Amino acid sequence: MVMNMSSCSLKGYCYLFILMTNCMLLVPLGVRSQQLSSDFYATTCPNLLKVVRKEVVSAIKNEIRMAASLLRLHFHDCFVNGCDGSILLDGNNTEKTAFPNVNSARGYEVIDNIKTAVENACTGVVSCSDILAIAARDSVVLSGGPSWKVQLGRRDGLVANQTGANRALPSPFESLTSIIAKFDAVTLNITDVVALSGGHTIGLARCATFSNRLFNFSGTGAPDNTMDTAMVTDLQQTCPQTSDGNNTASLDRTTRDLFDNNYFKNLVNGKGLLQSDQILYSSNEAISTTKDLVELYSNNSGVFLSDFVNSMIKMGNISPLTGSSGEIRKNCRVIN
Ligand code: HEM
Ligand SMILES: *[C@@H]1O[C@H](CO)[C@@H](O)[C@H](O)[C@H]1NC(C)=O
Ligand SMILES: *[C@@H]1O[C@H](CO)[C@@H](O)[C@H](O)[C@H]1NC(C)=O
Ligand SMILES: *[C@@H]1O[C@H](CO)[C@@H](O)[C@H](O)[C@H]1NC(C)=O
Ligand SMILES: *[C@@H]1O[C@H](CO)[C@@H](O)[C@H](O)[C@H]1NC(C)=O
Ligand SMILES: *[C@@H]1O[C@H](CO)[C@@H](O)[C@H](O)[C@H]1NC(C)=O
Ligand SMILES: *[C@@H]1O[C@H](CO)[C@@H](O)[C@H](O)[C@H]1NC(C)=O
């Protein structure tokens, strides 16, 4: 009897314990079913990361700028209808032809090559939106930047949203307040604005996106006085007023292809390329937090790299399609 009681009470305890752990695990898991995880493809595509890495390595060997272009594709995907691969869809009225992307976003052929390699390794299980997230991480790593565990499990959207792309993506000509509002609209805060702007430590921009600063800035009859004067002179040669705006300059003049904190050192020295870069430090909109963060990141690359990683994971979490929403596209350019 005594033994039975004790065994009963132990069983009761165990049962309660299991019940409690179930509650504690299952309730959050219920909520978490909409969330991503780093081991999402562990059984369905165990070599996924290796397959993607190999393709990204080969694309960057072929053209070093591709690292920057792939990083930007993931950003432009996530800000429009969430990270759902919508930027990759072809057609007449798509995100590709929205103002922020047309003649500007690039790397679509590389994504096609990665998708083909991934489909050969594991057919029909890996989304194009996850491929964009992995390729962005790999591009940062291969440029000498930090690594992180990419969260996975996104599914692909069924529509491209051109109006959404025109509205949601930040322009290099808008105010800091407005840029902050666009990040806020996708649950990213001021730290994310500054850290993620550090993505401009690699890559190029066309004259069309900054030449307004070089000759007659905002009708003042003079260049933007927040730009270093030697840099103005140099860029006036790169972007003569007679050119079509398609020449390019490095976003980070110090180390163009290296993922480091020189972008922020440049801002402190008046050497940001885009107006939207330099206002993080020089704006008289008095958003002191952005100025402090620029100084902090310029002094301490470790803090920048770690904040950048946190913000990339946050950005990758913008409204993912999970469960049975969306689909796993067979071809990243068209819905199934
Ligand atoms: C804060 C607001 C931002 C604005 C206004 C902005 C604007 C721009 C513009 C105008 C260009 C040049 C496009 C062209 O030449 O046509 C560019 C390039 C680029 N952006 Fe941003 N951007 C922003 C944030 C970001 C973020 C969050 C990332 C990624 C984390 C990013 C990554 C890049 C990269 C890597 C390039 C170079 C792409 C290449 O060389 O192909 N940008 N951006
Ligand atoms: C795009 O428009 C052209 C002409 O208007 C049409 O022939 C073509 O089928 C359209 N393509 C798609 C993908 O809708
Ligand atoms: C397109 O994006 C806008 C936000 O900019 C959103 O309000 C709208 O619902 C989206 N449309 C579709 C079809 O997803
Ligand atoms: C932004 O959010 C992160 C957490 O994701 C937090 O650590 C940081 O302090 C926030 N920044 C601001 C300016 O609120
Ligand atoms: C600068 O632009 C303003 C208005 O956009 C114009 O009135 C002015 O004449 C221009 N100045 C020069 C030097 O071109
Ligand atoms: C730049 O080149 C594209 C084609 O690559 C062309 O359509 C465009 O008109 C050119 N000029 C500008 C300012 O984008
Ligand atoms: C960064 O360093 C500069 C001088 O080297 C200093 O004036 C500034 O206060 C520092 N800022 C931060 C946020 O650490």
Side-chain angles (χ1 to χ4, degrees), residues 65 68-69 71-72 75 103-104 106 170-172 179 183 196-197 199-200 202-206 209 251 274 276 308 312 315:
R65 181 189 180 188
S69 305
L71 172 59
R72 186 167 186 240
F75 157 50
N103 296 327
S104 172
R106 55 202 298 283
S171 142
I179 289 173
F183 277 68
L196 290 172
S197 290
H200 290 174
I202 53 175
L204 306 179
R206 290 172 307 148
T209 65
L251 283 157
L274 307 176
S276 52
F308 181 81
M312 281 296 287
M315 184 173 84

Side-chain angles (χ1 to χ4, degrees), residues 8 23 27 30 146 155 158 165 168 195 199 247 258 294 297 302:
C8 247
C23 283
V27 172
R155 291 165 65 82
L158 304 176
N247 293 346
L258 205 57
V294 168
Y297 295 158

Side-chain angles (χ1 to χ4, degrees), residues 199-231:
H200 290 174
T201 176
I202 53 175
L204 306 179
R206 290 172 307 148
C207 294
T209 65
F210 60 84
S211 60
N212 66 313
R213 305 183 67 201
L214 303 178
F215 300 99
N216 185 357
F217 182 61
S218 303
T220 57
D224 184 341
N225 63 14
T226 64
M227 186 185 282
D228 171 82
T229 53
M231 180 168 164

